[in-house]
Every structure is written in C-alpha cells, then in structure tokens.
Amino acid sequence: MNGGAGPPSRPGRGRITRILILGGGGMLGQKLAVRLARDGWQGGPAEVILHDIGFPTSGAPAARRIAGSLSDTGTAQQLAEMRADVIFHLAAIVSGEAEQAFELGWQVNMFATWNLLEALRLERAESDGLYCPRLVFSSSIAVFGAPFPDRIGDDFMTAPLTSYGAQKATCELIINDFSRKGIIDGVSIRLPTICVRPGRPNKAASGFFSDIIREPLNGRDAVLPVPDTVRHWHASPRSAVGFLVRAASLDLDRLEGRRSLNMPGLSCTVAEQIEALRDVAGAVAVARIEPEPDPAIMAIVSGWPCNFDTRRSNELGFVAETDFAQIIRAYLDDDLVPGGT
C-alpha cells in the first residue's frame, strides 16, 4: 500500500495536503478544484486529484485526473490507497435520473459510497489505525419528505419521498456510523438546489430553476414546467463551493455527533426568481420563459422542502446569498460567457 498522508494538515506543518474530489469532472467538482488551485489548503499547498467518468476538455487544474466509475470493481480500493487527507464526495447521478433508473440510482448513489467507505476501513487497518481522512459528503435537502413544518431544522426527521432522497439519507447514516467508529472523520452537508447552474440543461428534476434564468440570459427560450407559485430553497455554485471548503476545515467536535448539516440558502418562489431576472436583465429576458406544465416534474417538486432553519450552520460559519438577484449576479460574474453558455 502507498504511504499515508495522515489526517488533514494544518498551517505550518510544511507538507502538501492531498485532496481527492470524487465527481471532480462535474460542475461543483471543477469549481472546487479551481478554488483549491487558487487558495491552496489552510495556508499551504494542495495536491488535487480528480476522479470522475469524464472531464471537460478545458478543465480545472489538477495534479491528476483519473477517469472511471466509482462503481467499478477495484476503483474504491485504488482511491483509498492514495490516502488522501481530504475527500470530497460529490459523485452521484441526479434526482430525475435516479427516479427513472431505480437500480442504477442505488448502485451509483449508495452502493458505490458503501464500497468507498469499506475500502477506507481496510486502508485504515493497513495503516495500523493511523489513517483517518476527512470526508465531506454532498447530501441534499431531498432527504426530507412532506409534511413539513414552516422551517425545517437539522433535527427534523429524514423521510424522503424520492429514490434520490432515500439514497442520500442512507449515505448520511453510514457516514455517521463509520465516523463513530473512527474510520473516517465525516460530515454530510445538505445542499440547497444549486442555482444558477452553468452549461446545458441536465436530467435533474430541479434543473428548470436554473434553466429559466440561464437560458434567457444567454438569449435562448426556457420552459417553466411548474406554476410560478412553487417555492424552493436555493444557493449559488459560489456558495456551494464555500460550503464544501468550510465543512472540510471545520472542527467536527462542535457537531456533537450530529454530522449532517442543513446548509444556508434562500427561500423564494418561481415568481420571485422571475422578478429578480426582470430587475437584473429586463423584460426581454423574462419574455423568453414559456410555461409548459409537466405533471411528472410537479409531482417530484411538490414533495420537496422549501424553507429551513439554518441557525446551526450559520453559527458554524456557513454563509449563502440573501436575495435571488445576488444569485443571478454570481452567475453573471462567474459563469456567463458572452455569446455562449
């Protein structure tokens, strides 16, 4: 086995922190890699390793890019043997695809996570108990199911109403247990719907929340499949990267064993999103949004939570936008490509 890098490093230790990003070819993985390349890790350098089934042609900087599926035989062991100090687990298939492809959803979103954790357990044994990485798992507000209180706190029960939510909730439980046993030092952060996502539409049921903003800003028409009265919980990609970095450096003793955190965000209706678009980009952009009701999307979205009490994560230093115009401007600043996507 490879030599261990030890627990997450602190400034002044004079060593390179090895960071593994699973799902490193995706939007958040790429943005996180750019952030780490720019800032390093806690005052020192970082060796960033990306793993995914594929990568953008002009992707984020990294020491290594490893192509493959976390579900493939032997992959989890290969990754565990790297003994990364910090592991960001962003790999998943999205909500709509997980609902349509039931078996695939469980294989990719849950069993691959189990295989990774089991490989890390064996690697810890190989290191005589010295190796214990920080693992940050990107969970989702989909772990919750209706009926909801007015604002959902971290202590609200997880009773998901989708396969994607069930898969994320299962991963939260096993990450907590592996952490309790000292195999990893894990934390699960429940991300809001990330908006505005750059690039083309994907198969996520929540994708339209980004589509109705991004497409008009790029001079294209967008479809709105739900009523504009639908309320949801949002944060920008910029905030999501901040969540990940904060979770990786947090003193987890402060969580007192409750290792799943609701991330801050903004609760707003689709109508409020559209009004923010009007304020930022004018009526011409809004005119490109065409209502086309989709009962299947509405059935999924209607079971999602839309407002949270995030005092716990706020007190731990997590921050997000406070109005939707800020989210739109973050997209304009970070991701809008003149004449493109």
Side-chain angles (χ1 to χ4, degrees), residues 27-63:
M27 183 270 292
L28 280 184
Q30 289 284 291
K31 285 182 173 291
L32 177 58
V34 169
R35 168 78 174 263
L36 294 170
R38 183 191 73 196
D39 296 349
W41 184 252
Q42 298 188 352
E47 176 194 10
V48 178
I49 301 170
L50 305 179
H51 179 272
D52 211 325
I53 57 175
F55 301 95
T57 52
S58 57

Side-chain angles (χ1 to χ4, degrees), residues 117-294:
L117 294 173
E118 179 64 3
L120 292 172
R121 184 185 70 82
L122 296 176
E123 196 63 26
R124 177 169 172 78
E126 189 74 18
S127 74
D128 295 326
L130 296 177
Y131 176 56
C132 181
R134 170 64 56 89
L135 187 144
V136 179
F137 175 66
S138 62
S139 190
S140 167
I141 58 175
V143 300
F144 299 112
F148 302 118
D150 290 340
R151 301 181 75 195
I152 297 170
D154 283 0
D155 55 355
F156 186 66
M157 68 176 181
T158 55
L161 297 177
T162 64
S163 294
Y164 180 78
Q167 292 147 15
K168 291 291 189 178
T170 302
C171 290
E172 287 187 7
L173 287 173
I174 59 177
I175 286 168
N176 197 75
D177 199 40
F178 274 67
S179 297
R180 184 180 64 85
K181 291 289 190 181
I183 298 163
I184 60 171
D185 191 21
V187 59
S188 299
I189 58 173
R190 294 163 177 159
L191 297 178
T193 287
I194 303 305
C195 185
V196 177
R197 298 182 68 94
R200 291 292 189 177
N202 63 21
K203 294 183 179 180
S206 60
F208 70 88
F209 289 115
S210 286
D211 298 347
I212 61 171
I213 305 299
R214 181 193 60 247
E215 298 305 290
L217 288 173
N218 284 279
R220 296 189 293 264
D221 295 339
V223 170
L224 175 61
V226 303
D228 67 5
T229 54
V230 166
R231 178 173 290 275
H232 200 55
W233 186 246
H234 302 280
S236 72
R238 182 190 295 175
S239 288
V241 171
F243 299 158
L244 292 164
V245 172
R246 178 61 183 152
S249 58
L250 188 65
D251 176 5
L252 296 188
D253 287 343
R254 298 176 64 185
L255 302 187
E256 298 179 334
R258 296 165 56 208
R259 290 174 175 261
S260 297
L261 282 166
N262 296 337
M263 291 292 97
L266 170 69
S267 179
C268 69
T269 64
V270 169
E272 290 168 335
Q273 282 187 262
I274 293 171
E275 282 309 300
L277 177 64
R278 189 189 310 275
D279 290 342
V280 172
V284 173
V286 171
R288 288 189 172 276
I289 302 172
E290 184 67 29
E292 290 186 14
D294 185 327

Side-chain angles (χ1 to χ4, degrees), residues 298-316:
M298 190 60 211
I300 294 175
V301 172
S302 64
W304 286 348
C306 59
N307 201 6
F308 288 81
D309 179 351
T310 61
R311 283 175 292 181
R312 186 172 175 233
S313 58
N314 293 144
E315 290 169 357
L316 292 166

